Amino acid sequence: MAFKRNIDRLPIIPADAKRHNVTCHYCIVGCGYHAYTWPVNKQGGPEPDKNIFGVDLSEQQAAETVAWYSPSMYNIVKQNGEDVHIVVKPDRECSVNSGLGSVRGARIAEMSYSEARNTQQQRLTDPLVWRYGQMQPTSWEDALDLVARVTAAVIKEKGEDALYVSAYDHGGAGGGYENTWGTGKLYFEAMKIKNIRIHNRPAYNSEVHATRDMGVGELNNCYEDAELTDTIFCVGANPLETQTNYFLNHWVPNMRGTTADKKNEQLPGEEHPPVRIVFVDPRRTVSINACEAEAGADNVLHLAINSGTDLALFNAIFTHIVEKGWTDKAFIEASTGGFDEAVKGNKMTLEEASNICGVPAADIEKAAQWIAEPKADGKRRRTMMPYEKGLIWGNDNYRTNAALVNMALATGNIGRSGGGCVRLGGHQEGYARPSDAHVGKPAAYVDQLLIDGQGGVHHIWGCDHYKTTLNAHEFKKVYKKRTDIVKDAMSAAPYGDRDAMVKAIIDAINQGGLFAVNVDIIPTKIGQACHVVLPAATSGEANLTSMNGERRMRLTERYMDPPGQAMPDCLIAARMANHMEQVLRDMGDADYADKFKGFDWTTEEDAFMDGYHKVAKGGEFVTYDRLREAGNNGVQEPATGYESGKLVGTKRLYEDGKFGTEDGRAKFMVSEWRGLQAPGKQEQKDKYKYLINNGRTNHVWQSAYLDQENDFVMDRWPYPFIQMNPQDMTDAGLKEGDLVEIFNDAGATQAMVYPTPTARRGETFMMFGYPTGVQGNVVNAGTNELILPNYKQTWADIRKIADAPRNVAHLTFKSQEYKST
Ligand SMILES: Nc1nc2c(c(=O)[nH]1)N[C@H]1C(S)=C(S)[C@@H](COP(=O)(O)OP(=O)(O)OC[C@H]3O[C@@H](n4cnc5c(=O)[nH]c(N)nc54)[C@H](O)[C@@H]3O)O[C@H]1N2
Ligand SMILES: Nc1nc2c(c(=O)[nH]1)N[C@H]1C(S)=C(S)[C@@H](COP(=O)(O)OP(=O)(O)OC[C@H]3O[C@@H](n4cnc5c(=O)[nH]c(N)nc54)[C@H](O)[C@@H]3O)O[C@H]1N2
Ligand code: SF4
Ligand SMILES: [Mo]
C-alpha cells in the first residue's frame, strides 16, 4: 500500500480548545461534528484538567470512548491568519449520528486546505483569467470587471436569454441557504434567467415533481421513523454506502431490536414484530447484505427487477393491496382525492408485473403483504418508503414517483409515526430563492441548447458537467470548440485594453463562441474550458446553514480561513451584482443598473438575513444566534416559533392530514406503465450487450473533487470500477483490474473491472462521475417530458483496453459483503 497519512503521534486536544458546531458537508444525513482548534505551539496533556475530555488519558479508555480521535480527523489550518491545530470529530450528542463518523465524514479535517501539511493544495486561491494563452492569477476587481462587462454586453445586445447558468440547488458543499439565495437573487430577481439548470440535471425542474404535484413534500418524515417502523420498502437506494449513518444509527438498531423500548413508549397498544425490509434494485447491494446480516435473511426481500421497471411493480402492489382490502380507508376518505381513478387507471396484475419486472409473482405478493397486511393484532403495519436515485434517475421518473406515493397514500403511511414516503437525499439541502415561475414547465433543456450553439455567456456555480452530466461526450466536444473560439480571440487581444478585449470576446460569441465563468473551490474539468475561474470558500471556511434529510437545520460555524482570496459563494454573487450595477450605469442604463441593488452584503449572515430569514417558511424565527444555541441538533424545518430560548420545529409533516394542495387533500395520480420512455433507451437496450448501471460507492464523495487529492481514496480507486459477473468476464477475456472501454452510440469511457459474483449476467455497475472515467459519456441524451435525465438506464458494449496497470497491482478485488456474527 502506498497509502500514508504521515502521522507519527497526534497532539492531545487541550482543555481550552475552541469548539465550533459542524454539520458534515458531504451527504444529506448531516452528521453532527465539532471542530476543535488551538494554537499550533500548544497541546493538552493526559491529566483530566489538561485535556478537553476531562479524563485521565494515561488510563486505558473504554472501546467506545469519545476521548479519542483518528489521524484522518486531524490537520493544521489557518485561523485568522495563524496556524492552528484542528480536530473535526463526531458529536456523540447529535441525534443524527450519535457520535458515528463515516469513511467520508471522518476525513473532513484531512480534506481541508493546509499549507503546513500539504493537504488539498489543489484548492483555488485566486481569481484566474485567460490571458496570453493560459490561466493567470489576478484580483477580484479585475476578474469581476471582465465578467460583468462581457455579461452586460451580451444581455444588452441579445437579452437575458443569452446568459446561461448552471447552479447547484443545494448551495455548494454542505448546502447553504446563503449561497442559493445569493445566486437566486442575482439570476431570478435582478435578472429573470430562463436558461438555467441545476447541478445534477440539464434543466431547472424538480427531481420529484410528481410527489409535489400530489401535495406531498418529499422530506416528510424524521429519522426516528426508521426506528419505529414495521417495514421498510426501499427503492433504488443503497443507504449503507450513500446515507451511511442514517442507516447505521437508525435502521440497524431497529433490525437489532434495540429500539423496542422506544416503540413501546411512543406506539403503545400495538404489536411490534421484527422489522422487515424490501429492496427494489436490479443489483444486490451491500445494504441488502447488511440488512440480511442484521435482521436475518428471512426478514429481507430483494426484488431484483429488470432495470427501469419499478412503475409496473408499484402498480401491481397497489392493485393487490386494494384487492385485499388492506388500504387505510379512513385516511383515504378524510385526506385524499382521486383514489378510484388511480385504482382503475393503474390496474396491473401480479403476473403482468412479474413478466415486465422479471421477478416472481410470489415475491411481489410477499412485498405487498409485508407492506400492508395487518399485523397479528389486527393493527395496520407501519411502513416507510424511502427512495433515491434508482427511482429519480430512472425510467419514466414522474409517473414512477407518483406510483410509489400512491402506495404510501393508499396505506395511510404519510404523516404517521413509523411511516413516510421520502427521498433519502443527496447533499445537505439549502434552497432559498425568489420565484422561478418564469422558467416555465417543461424547463429549457440547457445542455442541448448549448450543444445546439445557443447562448453567449455561461456562468457555472459548483458543478462539473464534464464529469456529471448526461450525453457528456458530445457536450464536452461542442463545449470545447465553442469556448476555444473565445480563447483564441482573447489571446489575440491586448489584455490591458479592456474595451478591445470585450469587443474581441463579443465578436467571438457572435461567431458561435461561448464565454464561460466557473465558480468553484478547485480547478475542475469544465473549468479547463472556462475564461474566468473564481475561487469559492467552502464549508468551515464560512458560516453556512443547511438542512438534512429530516429537515434538520443547523449552522456550521466558520472554523478556518479560506485559501488565499477565496470568498463564500453568496458574497461572490453579491460582488458580481455590484459590478453588473456599475457596468450598466457606465453604459448609461440606470434603470437596468438599479435592478442590481440590494447586494450590499459583507457577511454570510447578511445574505442569510436577506434571504432565508425573510423568504423561508418559519424563517422569521431563525437567526444565526439561535442556531448557534441550538447546536448540532438544530431545529427541524419549518420552524414554528422561539420559546423559552429555544427554536421550535416540525418533527414530521402532514400529521394533521392536511397536504400541500389547494383543498388540502393529497392527490392520487394515474400513472400507467409505458415501457422504457425516454427517447433512444429501448433502441440502446436492444443493440448493446451490457446494462451499464451506475452510481456511488462508500469511500468516494461525488465526482471525487476533493478525493482526487486524497491518497486513501486514490489508492483504493485509481480508476472507476465496473462490477461484472465473472462468467461475463471470462467470455470477454477479462481479468480483475483490467482496463476496459465501454462504448455505445452516445460515446465511450473507461473503467477497471471488478469481478462481482452477485452481478447478474449482462448487468454491470460503474462508479459515476469519476475523474479517470466518466460514466456520463455513455448516457444518451434522452430525458423524460419534464427534462429529467435517465442516467441509470444505459446499455453499451465492453472491450478490453489493457491489462491491469501498475497502480492497480496492490488492489484487493474481494467481495465487500460481510457475514452475520
Ligand atoms: N458515499 C457516497 N454517498 C453519497 C454520495 C456519494 O457521492 N458518495 N452522493 C450523494 C448524492 S448527491 C446522492 S443523489 C445520493 C444517491 O444515493 P443512492 O440513490 O442511494 O445512490 P446510487 O448509487 O446513485 O443509486 C442507488 C441504487 O439505484 C439502483 N438502480 C439502478 N437502476 C435502478 C432501477 O431501474 N430501479 C431501481 N429500483 N433501482 C435502480 C442502483 O443499482 C443503486 O444501487 O447519495 C448521496 N450520498
Ligand atoms: N451517470 C450519472 N450521472 C450523474 C448521477 C448518476 O447517478 N449517474 N448523479 C447525479 C447527481 S444525483 C448529482 S448530485 C450530480 C453531481 O454533479 P456535480 O454537482 O456536477 O458534481 P459534484 O462532484 O458534486 O461537484 C460539485 C462541484 O462543486 C465544487 N464545490 C464544492 N464545494 C463548493 C462550494 O462550497 N462552492 C462552490 N462554488 N463550489 C463547490 C466541487 O469542487 C465540484 O467541482 O451528478 C449527477 N450525475
Ligand atoms: S453519513 Fe454523510 S453526513 Fe454523516 S459523516 Fe458520513 S458523509 Fe458525513
Ligand atoms: Mo445528488
Side-chain angles (χ1 to χ4, degrees), residues 200 389 426-427 696 702:
N200 62 4
K389 289 293 156 6
H427 316 76
R696 291 151 174 86
Q702 294 289 87

Side-chain angles (χ1 to χ4, degrees), residues 92-276:
R92 170 89 46 105
E93 305 308 316
C94 177
S95 68
V96 174
N97 54 316
S98 307
L100 292 179
S102 77
V103 69
R104 302 176 301 285
R107 286 186 286 127
I108 295 173
E110 76 171 17
M111 298 291 250
S112 301
Y113 178 74
S114 171
E115 289 171 335
R117 295 178 72 253
N118 282 337
T119 53
Q120 294 300 324
Q121 290 300 293
Q122 60 168 340
R123 287 289 302 276
L124 294 166
T125 53
D126 299 275
L128 304 169
V129 296
W130 179 262
R131 76 186 177 226
Y132 333 124
Q134 66 190 51
M135 295 309 279
Q136 298 276 16
T138 191
S139 65
W140 278 106
E141 190 57 33
D142 179 45
L144 288 175
D145 179 70
L146 183 63
V147 171
R149 280 183 196 280
V150 175
T151 305
V154 166
I155 59 179
K156 286 280 283 180
E157 199 176 302
K158 302 172 193 294
E160 290 178 348
D161 289 356
L163 170 56
Y164 277 54
V165 178
S166 298
Y168 44 63
D169 67 358
H170 47 72
Y177 287 107
E178 295 77 2
N179 298 337
T180 52
W181 178 250
T183 46
K185 183 166 165 148
L186 177 61
Y187 298 115
F188 289 169
E189 199 174 281
M191 295 180 269
K192 286 266 178 287
I193 299 304
K194 200 177 83 198
N195 292 314
I196 179 167
R197 60 161 280 176
I198 293 173
H199 63 282
N200 62 4
R201 49 197 190 269
Y204 207 89
N205 48 19
S206 167
E207 289 178 20
V208 286
H209 258 123
T211 190
R212 292 187 186 177
D213 286 351
M214 295 163 86
V216 181
E218 66 271 20
L219 298 177
N220 46 63
N221 74 355
C222 60
Y223 284 176
E224 196 183 67
D225 285 322
E227 301 177 29
L228 301 175
T229 197
D230 296 314
T231 300
I232 300 177
F233 184 78
C234 180
V235 179
N238 179 17
L240 171 56
E241 298 197 79
T242 56
Q243 293 85 18
T244 308
N245 289 332
Y246 175 32
F247 181 83
L248 294 175
N249 198 35
H250 301 276
W251 294 30
V252 169
N254 192 352
M255 296 180 216
R256 290 184 176 169
T258 54
T259 60
D261 288 347
K262 205 177 252 184
K263 288 182 183 178
N264 287 328
E265 191 185 296
Q266 295 195 25
L267 311 170
E270 67 186 276
E271 199 205 7
H272 299 299
V275 65
R276 288 166 166 171

